Amino acid sequence: SKVEVIMNKIAIMTDSNSGITQKEAEVLRIRVLPMPFLIDGETFFEEISLTQEQFYERLAQDVDISTSQPSPEDVTKAWEELLEENESIVYIPMSSGLSGSCQTAIMLADDYEGKVQVVDNQRISVTQRQSVLDAIELAKEGKTAVQIKEILEANKFESSIYIMLDTLKYLKKGGRITPAAAALGSALRLKPVLQIQGEKLDAFSIARTKKQGVSKMLAAIEEDIKTRFGGLDNMENIHMEVAHTVNEEAALELVEMIKERFGVETVDMYPLSLSISCHIGAGSLAVACSKRLV
């Protein structure tokens, strides 16, 4: 009789904070859990019942928009479907510093006898997307779910994001900023630059103009590369990324500036996910980098 060799099949799952669309998820053969939003008390799911356009339209109308966690039922239902065809799951939710959904998932995973590995690596948006792509590659290399989790968590601080906002209105409204950043609220005309290092979204700097804001972000990321990511001679081992909220023209310009300044050929560019947008509003621009793991 034939001896059947069962490969260790690993499913990779993330949430829509990663910016990975449902269509892309099909191509990548991963699962993306849509994030729920409450708009005037009604629940919508990113990309399923709410498009980017509809979202920004409602945000501009000043309606009450808040993010919510995926329900435990939705999380476990997705896991159970994946475990029908896979032996284990690597789940990469948004940063535990910015949402409770990671803690909830870790708790729920307790019931799955190690089959579900929840990665708490403090990523969001473009750097979270990169972690998902890394996980796919690590799985192809034959790493186990536990090993993938360990590798991603060991490198959790190997990324950096700076975001220039067009307004502080939404951060203030959502109570999502540290007191230091909230104190900037009085100077609303200025362009605040925030940073995400590990857990927290925090104040970094203030710019008088967008141009000055961009130059502060580029200087900050260059400093990070020099001090934390092996220097400017190590660019082939660094992913450079740009993100924005309804600000594509400025984002494309920033991509060109990064290519020129850092001598890199590719810069990933994506819209920021809606769960960040509801705290920062439209017109933002972000630059990020993360260390190449694979």
Side-chain angles (χ1 to χ4, degrees):
S1 68
K2 278 187 191 163
V3 178
E4 283 194 334
V5 179
I6 298 175
M7 296 272 296
N8 177 23
K9 291 178 76 177
I10 298 176
I12 310 288
M13 176 169 147
T14 186
D15 59 36
S16 59
N17 288 300
S18 62
I20 297 173
T21 64
Q22 298 294 333
K23 272 201 183 109
E24 283 178 283
E26 278 174 37
V27 176
L28 293 169
R29 304 177 70 165
I30 62 167
R31 174 70 73 98
V32 173
L33 194 65
M35 289 301 282
F37 290 85
L38 285 168
I39 302 181
D40 274 348
E42 194 184 340
T43 302
F44 293 86
F45 291 92
E46 183 160 0
E47 254 209 303
I48 307 292
S49 53
L50 182 70
T51 65
Q52 290 246 342
E53 293 73 31
Q54 290 167 326
F55 173 87
Y56 285 108
E57 216 170 273
R58 301 301 294 273
L59 195 64
Q61 294 162 357
D62 256 359
V63 297
D64 264 336
I65 297 188
S66 59
T67 47
S68 173
Q69 288 189 37
S71 74
E73 296 76 43
D74 287 348
V75 177
T76 53
K77 184 173 174 260
W79 289 350
E80 279 165 24
E81 285 169 11
L82 290 172
L83 287 171
E84 280 169 22
E85 293 180 12
N86 297 278
E87 286 175 25
S88 55
I89 296 170
V90 174
Y91 178 40
I92 307 171
M94 76 183 284
S95 169
S96 58
L98 299 167
S99 161
S101 53
C102 183
Q103 261 31 69
T104 303
I106 290 170
M107 217 166 61
L108 294 170
D110 268 359
D111 295 341
Y112 286 81
E113 293 155 1
K115 285 181 187 163
V116 179
Q117 297 294 322
V118 179
V119 177
D120 183 5
N121 71 333
Q122 315 293 4
R123 297 292 173 94
I124 185 80
S125 181
V126 283
T127 59
Q128 184 184 3
R129 169 192 288 267
Q130 188 54 55
S131 289
V132 173
L133 300 178
D134 289 341
I136 294 169
E137 289 308 311
L138 291 166
K140 282 181 189 163
E141 286 178 6
K143 299 275 190 286
T144 65
V146 172
Q147 286 170 324
I148 295 171
K149 171 187 159 82
E150 283 169 357
I151 292 166
L152 293 179
E153 289 185 352
N155 290 279
K156 69 179 176 184
F157 295 122
E158 306 294 341
S159 77
S160 199
I161 303 180
Y162 295 91
I163 309 172
M164 175 173 60
L165 308 197
D166 206 33
T167 168
L168 260 178
K169 173 178 153 185
Y170 300 101
L171 270 186
K172 210 171 171 189
K173 195 173 157 184
R176 266 294 163 127
I177 33 178
T178 56
L184 297 175
S186 54
L188 275 180
R189 279 206 190 130
L190 299 170
K191 301 292 166 208
V193 176
L194 305 179
Q195 61 175 332
I196 300 177
Q197 300 286 351
E199 307 218 342
K200 287 277 175 268
L201 186 61
D202 201 358
F204 173 72
S205 170
I206 304 176
R208 285 187 301 281
T209 60
K210 288 180 181 179
K211 193 177 167 188
Q212 190 191 30
V214 167
S215 91
K216 285 188 173 201
M217 290 197 295
L218 289 173
I221 214 108
E222 182 170 322
E223 184 61 21
D224 286 344
I225 289 168
K226 286 176 175 168
T227 56
R228 292 169 48 205
F229 299 106
L232 296 174
D233 298 339
N234 190 38
M235 291 310 297
E236 71 273 14
N237 293 313
I238 299 166
H239 297 284
M240 296 299 294
E241 299 142 344
V242 165
H244 65 96
T245 51
V246 207
N247 202 7
E248 194 166 351
E249 206 176 311
L252 287 165
E253 274 175 38
L254 184 55
V255 164
E256 291 313 311
M257 289 168 84
I258 290 170
K259 285 180 178 175
E260 201 172 308
R261 180 165 182 158
F262 296 100
V264 289
E265 279 173 31
T266 54
V267 177
D268 294 332
M269 180 183 122
Y270 297 100
L272 278 161
S273 55
L274 299 184
S275 39
I276 304 181
S277 315
C278 73
H279 302 300
I280 65 176
S284 73
L285 191 59
V287 57
C289 73
S290 51
K291 190 170 140 188
R292 195 179 288 277
L293 292 191
V294 188

